[in-house]
Amino acid sequence: PRYLLVFDFDETIVDENSDDSVARAAPGRALPEQLRQSPRQGSYNEHMQRVLAFLGEQGVRAGDFRAVYESIPLSPGMPELFQFLSKNRELFEVVLISDANVFGIEAKLRAAGFLSLFRKVFSNPAGFDKRGYLTLGPYHSHKCLECPANMCKRKILTEYLAERAREEAEFERVFYVGDGANDFCPAGALTAADVAFPRKGYPMHRMCQEMERKQPGAFQAAVVPWESAAEVARYLQELLRR
C-alpha cells in the first residue's frame, strides 16, 4: 500500500460518542444521575468501567450491547468513503485508533459490512466476564502529558509506523481522519507530506486553527476539514488522479 489512512471512531466513523450510546441499553434508556457526569478528575476509562458494571448489574448482556453498537448511525458520507477505500484496497492501508472499546467498534463495523477494510483496530480491550458483564481495560500506559492515562494515540501511531517500516512497508503519505482533542496529539506527529482531516467545528479542528494562529507552521500536515466524509473521499480521488 502506498498510503496509510488512520481513523478515529467516535464522532468520526460514527455520528455519536459510543460511550454515551450504551446508555440506551439501560432500563429506561438512561443512566442514573451520578453516572451521567463525566469525571472531572480521574480517568474517563475508569468512569466507563463503572458505567459498564452498572449496566451489567441491570442485566444488560452481550446481545443488548451488540444491538446498541450496531444501531449507532455512521457519520455523513462515511459509507461513500468506505466504498471508495474498498475499491482501492491495494493503495490504502487502513487502521483505527480509538479510545472506545474493541467489542463495540468491531460490532458496529461488522454490521455495517466494513470491518475487513481495517488492517488493525487499536482500542481499549473489552470482553465479557463469567457473570456476562462487559468489562473494559486501559489500552496501555504512556508518558504523554496531553492525553488520558489509558491512551496516547500519538504513541500508538508512531509505534505502528516504526513496526511497518521494519516490515518494509513504506508509506508515501499518512492521512488522519478524526474529531476530538485526543486526535490532535497524533496529528501533530504527521509530516508536511501528510494530511489531517479534522471534522469541521469539532475540538480537533479548533485546536488546529488555534495552533496555526499561535505558532504558524508548527503543525506540519495539511489541514483539510470535512463535514461529510464524502469530501475526504473526493480529496483522495483527486490525489489518485494526480
Side-chain angles (χ1 to χ4, degrees), residues 1-6 88-95 97 117 119-120 122 156-176 189-195 239:
R2 286 165 55 190
Y3 307 110
L4 178 67
L5 189 49
V6 183
N88 293 281
R89 278 173 193 255
E90 72 290 351
L91 294 174
F92 293 94
E93 181 162 303
V94 187
V95 299
I97 307 178
L117 256 186
R119 183 174 185 271
K120 199 124 175 56
F122 298 95
I156 295 170
L157 178 57
T158 52
E159 286 176 357
Y160 184 74
L161 287 168
E163 176 195 318
R164 295 299 283 132
R166 286 194 298 275
E167 292 162 353
E168 292 174 7
E170 290 291 341
F171 303 109
E172 281 173 38
R173 291 182 176 187
V174 178
F175 302 105
Y176 192 104
L190 302 178
T191 70
D194 304 330
V195 183
L239 174 84

Side-chain angles (χ1 to χ4, degrees), residues 140-206:
H140 61 186
S141 59
H142 60 82
K143 296 185 173 70
C144 175
L145 301 175
E146 306 302 315
C147 289
N150 63 298
M151 179 174 285
C152 171
K153 294 184 175 189
R154 182 192 285 235
K155 183 177 193 227
I156 295 170
L157 178 57
T158 52
E159 286 176 357
Y160 184 74
L161 287 168
E163 176 195 318
R164 295 299 283 132
R166 286 194 298 275
E167 292 162 353
E168 292 174 7
E170 290 291 341
F171 303 109
E172 281 173 38
R173 291 182 176 187
V174 178
F175 302 105
Y176 192 104
V177 186
D179 77 288
N182 65 353
D183 295 311
F184 182 72
C185 183
L190 302 178
T191 70
D194 304 330
V195 183
F197 293 99
R199 193 169 183 182
K200 202 175 276 181
Y202 282 70
M204 180 190 180
H205 184 211
R206 291 197 291 273

